[in-house]
Amino acid sequence: MWNRFLAVFLGAFVALFLIGGLEQLIPLICHLPPMNDPNDKKEFAEMIARTPTSAFLCLVFIYLISSFIGSLITSIIAKENKERMALGVGVIVMAGGIANFLMRPHPIWVVVCSMLVYLPAAFLGGKLGGIFRKKDTIQKT
């Protein structure tokens, strides 16, 4: 039981940490409009309206990569039910994304695309992690 908890916890932690860290790179890649007070909902909505599409594409890509890597780590750590544990990480990351979208306005296409990438990326991470673990087990015998 502890192995499953630890696997999902570490995978979700890494995924959410990656999202937070990689989002900091978006202003370096894409030119974002200036904003004085990020807590002002009206100003934030205006900034979102002026944000280039490339920044939102980077954001969706970050969600995809983070869900994949977190699930990959979970699948490598988990001893059983690897794909299910990896999908659990995808669900956790998706829940965080839903909370973010409810708190801050985003274009609808970003919300839809994000919802479409979390679980497939987690599934692929789980499958790939299972393959790594199988190869490791075969080499030990």
Side-chain angles (χ1 to χ4, degrees), residues 24 66 74:
Q24 302 304 312
S66 298
T74 295

Side-chain angles (χ1 to χ4, degrees), residues 43-122:
E43 184 180 356
F44 187 83
E46 291 172 2
M47 189 269 305
I48 289 292
R50 295 188 318 261
T51 300
T53 304
S54 59
F56 291 120
L57 290 173
C58 287
L59 187 64
V60 172
F61 183 71
I62 287 169
Y63 294 155
L64 184 143
I65 291 297
S66 298
S67 184
F68 175 80
I69 292 175
S71 297
L72 177 70
I73 289 170
T74 295
S75 182
I76 290 171
I77 294 172
K79 293 180 180 175
E80 56 189 29
N81 299 325
K82 297 172 182 305
E83 289 84 10
R84 198 167 81 194
M85 298 296 114
L87 283 174
V89 170
V91 168
I92 292 169
V93 175
M94 187 165 80
I98 291 169
N100 179 39
F101 295 139
L102 291 174
M103 289 187 289
R104 304 261 188 195
H106 287 76
I108 192 71
W109 70 267
V110 173
V111 175
V112 170
C113 289
S114 297
M115 293 300 117
L116 292 175
V117 301
Y118 289 121
L119 295 181

Side-chain angles (χ1 to χ4, degrees), residues 21-33 52 54-55 58 62:
L22 293 174
E23 281 181 345
Q24 302 304 312
L25 299 176
I26 292 176
L28 302 174
I29 298 168
C30 309
H31 178 69
L32 296 180
S54 59
C58 287
I62 287 169

Side-chain angles (χ1 to χ4, degrees), residues 131-141:
I131 291 170
F132 283 145
R133 188 70 176 215
K134 286 179 187 173
K135 285 183 181 178
D136 185 39
T137 306
I138 292 170
Q139 290 175 354
K140 287 182 180 179
T141 58

